[in-house]
Amino acid sequence: MAKLDPRRALDELIKERGESYSSVSRLLSRNPAYIQQFIKRGSPTRLDDSDIAQLSVHFGVPGAIFGGDEVPESAGLSTIAIPVLSATDAEDTLGRVRLVDEAWLRSLSHKPTGVSIVMVEGDAMYPTLRNGDEVLIQRYLANENPRDGLYVIRADAGLLVRRIALEPTRNRIAVLTDNPTYPNWDGLLRNGVQIVGRVIWAGLHVA
C-alpha cells in the first residue's frame, strides 16, 4: 500500500478542521511560518518526533501519517486518540485525550479526526442529558451551517450542550434547553452563536 505523503496529509487535516498553518505552528511552539514551510517548501524534510507526537494527539490520528514510525500490524492496535475538551475552560484543552475503538468511532463519524469529547455540566438539558454525561461531537468546519439538533456551543460560561432550532427568519436560530427551569435564547443571529460541534453520541453517567 502506498504511504500517504506527510505534507499532504497534514495539509488536508488542517483544512478539514478549519485551522491555519500559523495556529498549528503555535501549537508546536514554533515560529508562525514553520508548518507552511514544511508543507509548501519541504523544510524541514521531516518533522521532529516530538512534533509528530503532538500532532498525533491534536488531530487524533496515528503518528505514522506525519512520518512517524509505523505501528506493526501484528500489534493489533485499533484505537484513536480523541481530544477531551473542558466544559469550563475558556479555550479548548487539547492536552487530554481518550483512546476509543477505531471501528466503533468510524461507525459514528466519517471524519473521526474531527471528533472530540465534552462532559455535560449542570442539568439544563435534563432529562435528555444529565450532569456528568459525556457526548461525542463532530467538530464544526469554517462556514458550516447548522441544522436542528444537539450541539456544543461556546458561551461566557464555557462549553454548553444545547439544542439548536432553525427559525423561519433568515440567518436566525434559537438555542434551547430541555429543562423548563432554564431560559431559551430565541431570535439569535447565526453568526452570533459560536458552535463548537454537533453531538453525534451521548453516554450516560452511572453513579
Side-chain angles (χ1 to χ4, degrees):
M1 180 185 298
K3 188 175 181 180
L4 182 63
D5 178 67
R7 293 177 178 80
R8 179 180 176 184
L10 180 56
D11 196 26
E12 290 179 353
L13 283 168
I14 289 172
K15 293 175 181 177
E16 179 182 294
R17 288 281 293 270
E19 301 191 41
S20 66
Y21 297 147
S22 60
S23 68
V24 176
S25 296
R26 289 194 297 271
L27 171 75
L28 303 176
S29 299
R30 299 282 190 171
N31 72 75
Y34 178 73
I35 289 299
Q36 183 177 11
Q37 291 173 348
F38 170 70
I39 292 175
K40 301 297 184 180
R41 300 181 182 178
S43 177
T45 57
R46 182 185 184 278
L47 294 172
D48 289 346
D49 289 339
S50 60
D51 292 339
I52 292 173
Q54 197 161 0
L55 289 171
S56 176
V57 170
H58 180 66
F59 289 107
V61 298
I65 287 180
F66 305 119
D69 295 333
E70 294 280 359
V71 176
E73 293 183 5
S74 59
L77 298 179
S78 59
T79 58
I80 293 181
I82 302 300
V84 180
L85 308 184
S86 172
T88 55
D89 286 348
E91 298 293 336
D92 294 353
T93 302
L94 291 168
R96 297 181 298 123
V97 298
R98 182 90 49 80
L99 294 178
V100 301
D101 181 75
E102 180 179 0
W104 174 77
L105 184 61
R106 290 188 182 279
S107 72
L108 297 174
S109 169
H110 66 287
K111 293 181 179 180
T113 57
V115 174
S116 298
I117 296 172
V118 175
M119 179 177 290
V120 177
E121 294 192 2
D123 56 358
M125 294 306 293
Y126 180 84
T128 305
L129 296 169
R130 297 171 173 80
N131 183 60
D133 290 350
E134 288 186 340
V135 296
L136 292 182
I137 63 170
Q138 187 73 53
R139 296 289 293 249
Y140 247 40
L141 304 178
N143 301 320
E144 191 168 354
N145 293 317
R147 56 182 186 268
D148 292 350
L150 290 176
Y151 290 83
V152 169
I153 64 173
R154 190 182 301 284
D156 292 340
L159 300 182
L160 306 175
V161 181
R162 292 293 187 268
R163 192 175 300 279
I164 285 181
L166 303 183
E167 295 190 347
T169 306
R170 182 177 175 82
N171 293 327
R172 297 278 179 173
I173 62 175
V175 176
L176 312 173
T177 63
D178 288 359
N179 188 335
T181 63
Y182 285 77
N184 295 325
W185 303 326
D186 300 313
L188 300 178
L189 285 172
R190 162 63 188 91
N191 293 336
V193 179
Q194 188 176 356
I195 298 176
V196 179
R198 178 175 57 86
V199 175
I200 59 174
W201 178 88
L204 301 183
H205 171 70
V206 179

